């Protein structure tokens, strides 16, 4: 698998027979030659995860998987320049759904603790997880009851991953939370059999990964630090 980091939570994962594009809203896409199916994922409607220009990638071998809240109304379709054919290649998913994208390529969704969904994609014998904004959002200064409810929701929504092998997981490691930003990825890495983790949602503070690994060195062999847009990782 070849993965290009595009910025923030955007990644392009290229397998032998399919390309998977997640939450692209900024950064330069590599060339996408025709002939290989492309699945385009947008976890939710926040502008740091969804940009309607993804629909400019439409073609017969393209499918769009959109998190709940991205509304394909007539008005939005008109604003986004989508014709009926492009709309027919879109599917809006809530948490807890499954769908076949292409033959042999399937997706499961998990609810999010923010908006939309997280995606678990199976293709060519490999499993790729993109968490979107499914995270343990523990904010210092927030009402303690809110933080307790967030923890309970996060644990419940992540539970379907327990013990599952995941070849690549893209997980939020958000420096705005300080050390509380370690909670989500630490929990995911303990919960599932994650072989490689790519941090995301770091707001260009890529040094935060080093702080996480200094606190949890047991995850160093599974974590691939992200250093900036355009980085290419071979897995």
């Amino acid at each position: 698998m070849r993965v290009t980091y595009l910025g923030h939570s955007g990644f392009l994962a290229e397998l032998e027979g399919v390309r998977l594009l997640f939450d692209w809203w900024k950064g330069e896409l590599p060339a996408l030659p025709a002939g290989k199916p492309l699945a385009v994922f947008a976890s939710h409607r926040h502008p740091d995860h969804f940009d309607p220009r993804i629909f400019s990638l439409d073609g017969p071998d393209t499918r769009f998987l959109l998190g709940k809240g991205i509304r394909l109304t007539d008005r939005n379709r008109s604003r986004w320049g989508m014709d009926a054919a492009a709309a027919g290649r879109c599917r809006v998913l809530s948490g807890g759904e499954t769908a076949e994208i292409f033959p042999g390529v399937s997706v499961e969704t998990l609810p999010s603790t923010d908006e939309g969904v997280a995606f678990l994609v199976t293709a060519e014998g490999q499993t790729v997880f993109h968490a979107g904004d499914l995270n343990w959002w523990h904010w210092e200064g927030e009402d303690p009851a809110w933080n307790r409810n967030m923890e309970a929701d996060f644990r419940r929504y992540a539970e379907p991953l327990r013990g599952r092998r995941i070849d690549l997981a893209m997980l939020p490691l958000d420096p705005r939370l300080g050390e509380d930003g370690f909670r989500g990825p630490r929990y995911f890495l303990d919960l599932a059999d994650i072989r490689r983790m790519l941090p995301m949602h770091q707001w260009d503070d890529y040094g935060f990964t080093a702080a996480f690994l200094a606190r949890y060195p047991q995850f160093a062999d599974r974590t691939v630090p992200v250093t900036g847009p355009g980085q290419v990782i071979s897995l």
Side-chain angles (χ1 to χ4, degrees), residues 81-222:
M82 295 177 66
D83 59 20
R89 288 187 274 269
C90 293
R91 182 161 178 180
V92 178
L93 299 168
S94 299
E97 293 195 61
T98 61
E100 185 175 55
I101 307 171
F102 302 108
V105 182
S106 62
V107 61
E108 305 170 50
T109 57
L110 278 63
S112 176
T113 44
D114 193 345
E115 289 200 25
V117 299
F119 296 108
L120 187 67
V121 183
T122 301
E124 300 177 12
Q126 299 193 73
T127 302
V128 177
F129 178 65
H130 188 284
D133 269 358
L134 172 57
N135 192 27
W136 185 336
W137 299 106
H138 184 103
W139 295 96
E140 186 67 29
E142 184 59 80
D143 186 286
W146 189 95
N147 279 327
R148 287 195 299 270
N149 288 336
M150 172 60 62
E151 176 182 356
D153 286 344
F154 173 73
R155 290 175 181 268
R156 184 170 71 254
Y157 296 163
E159 186 60 24
L161 302 181
R162 181 175 295 278
R164 294 187 65 169
R165 172 173 173 150
I166 299 174
D167 296 282
L168 172 63
M170 291 156 277
L171 306 178
L173 184 58
D174 194 317
R176 298 175 303 168
L177 280 71
E179 289 201 357
D180 287 320
F182 301 162
R183 293 171 181 254
R186 180 197 66 201
Y187 190 84
F188 278 126
L189 286 160
D190 282 335
L191 181 72
D193 179 15
I194 294 172
R195 301 304 173 96
R196 291 289 185 272
M197 185 268 274
L198 288 171
M200 65 180 189
H201 215 271
Q202 295 190 286
W203 302 100
D204 299 327
D205 183 359
Y206 303 113
F208 196 58
T209 301
F212 172 70
L213 295 177
R215 181 71 177 273
Y216 299 104
Q218 67 268 33
F219 299 135
D221 62 341
R222 293 193 274 162

